[in-house]
Amino acid sequence: MRGHGDSDRDPECRYDYEYHVADLEAVLAKLGVERLVLVGHSLGGRIGTLFAGRHPDRMAGLVIVDSAPELDVRGTVRIRVDLQKNSGGGNANFASEAEYRDVLAHAYPAASREALARIAHHGLRRRDDGRFEPKLDPAWFKGRLDADTDAEAMRGARGTAHARHVGCARTSSLPHARRARRRERRALSDVADRMVDEVLRHGRLVIIPRAGHSVMVDNPEAFRAALTDFVLERSERAGRPPPRLE
């Protein structure tokens, strides 16, 4: 996404949902992708929901991972606190990748050392002074932390309206369920149940054990299994050979 990873930072700081959805539309048009199973985690889940609401006929499936148009404030506050700790409010810098990996180890206690090393390696860029800083644009980060509560609620309401129009054959919501810190870290809470029961017409809920907000980092094996089952099911229903998942 813009402002993330090796993508360019937006000099005009246009990081609202609408711009991310427009970027997704542009990428799919460039690649010639007409129909797809879309997987989105956290922010990506909300972007995916908005995209699917606009283009229901293009959706073979939608996987929303620990995200929803409407989020539980208990979970979002905790995630924001963790973001501040891990990135210094967008101003963090490190002497080495190893130093950043040690910081990540506190945020992802269930993650393997190899996974943390990959995150540190691909999530940092070297500054002119030789130190390392996160690739995420600090302007994007600050905008998310300073988001107005009412504006967030409006986005949630709009997202729920979009979700009601998702017409894909099956959707799946994959919130985490880490028992040790479930109450304070869960961003979905009862929202996930209501999404499946009341909003997503063909949705089902999958609980990934031993995982925090970053489900695929904390328990990659269980996440992969759930995602693979979902994608294979979509392929079978469409009468197509199953894709190879790497």
Side-chain angles (χ1 to χ4, degrees), residues 4-5 8 12 38 52-54 58 65 72 87 94 100 112 200 209-210 224 230 245:
H4 292 68
D8 292 337
E12 299 181 35
L38 186 61
R54 288 184 184 179
R58 299 180 62 181
V65 186
D72 189 315
S87 65
F94 308 91
Y100 184 45
S112 69
L200 299 174
R210 302 183 306 281
R224 174 188 170 90
F230 179 76
L245 299 180

Side-chain angles (χ1 to χ4, degrees), residues 5 26-27 43 61 94 103 125 135 156 169-170 183 191 214 229 234:
V27 169
L43 169 68
F94 308 91
V103 172
R125 66 179 187 178
K135 290 179 178 178
R170 181 66 65 88
R183 284 195 172 183
V191 176
S214 295
D229 288 346
R234 298 293 89 236

Side-chain angles (χ1 to χ4, degrees), residues 25-214:
E25 293 170 335
V27 169
L28 293 175
K30 184 70 174 180
L31 294 175
V33 175
E34 292 296 328
R35 188 169 171 82
L36 70 159
V37 174
L38 186 61
V39 183
H41 167 256
S42 195
L43 169 68
R46 305 186 92 180
I47 294 170
T49 300
L50 291 171
F51 175 88
R54 288 184 184 179
H55 308 283
D57 294 339
R58 299 180 62 181
M59 304 305 299
L62 173 64
V63 180
I64 307 169
V65 186
D66 211 56
S67 182
E70 174 188 350
L71 299 180
D72 189 315
V73 67
R74 296 168 299 176
T76 56
V77 168
R78 180 63 189 185
I79 290 169
R80 288 183 180 183
V81 169
D82 285 350
L83 282 172
Q84 287 181 306
K85 288 181 179 178
N86 300 334
S87 65
N91 299 313
N93 61 87
F94 308 91
S96 65
E97 291 182 4
E99 181 181 346
Y100 184 45
R101 183 194 63 212
D102 291 341
V103 172
L104 291 172
H106 293 284
Y108 308 112
S112 69
R113 190 172 182 84
E114 292 75 17
L116 295 178
R118 286 197 302 272
I119 295 174
H121 178 69
H122 293 289
L124 295 175
R125 66 179 187 178
R126 187 187 294 271
R127 305 191 316 189
D128 292 338
D129 62 2
R131 294 184 66 83
F132 294 85
E133 65 180 7
K135 290 179 178 178
L136 176 62
D137 186 355
W140 181 94
F141 181 85
K142 184 177 186 298
R144 301 309 303 166
L145 289 181
D146 293 344
D148 179 76
T149 302
D150 291 337
E152 285 293 320
M154 290 176 62
R155 291 190 186 105
R158 186 172 73 240
T160 299
H162 276 267
R164 292 185 187 279
H165 292 88
V166 174
C168 53
R170 181 66 65 88
T171 51
S172 182
S173 179
L174 301 175
H176 68 263
R178 186 176 186 178
R179 295 183 181 277
R181 294 190 292 176
R182 184 171 183 173
R183 284 195 172 183
E184 65 177 350
R185 295 189 65 93
R186 187 170 181 177
L188 291 185
S189 187
D190 296 332
V191 176
D193 294 321
R194 288 194 283 110
M195 281 284 289
V196 173
D197 295 338
E198 303 173 10
V199 180
L200 299 174
R201 289 173 289 173
H202 303 286
R204 59 186 169 95
L205 178 65
V206 180
I207 302 297
I208 303 299
R210 302 183 306 281
H213 178 59
S214 295

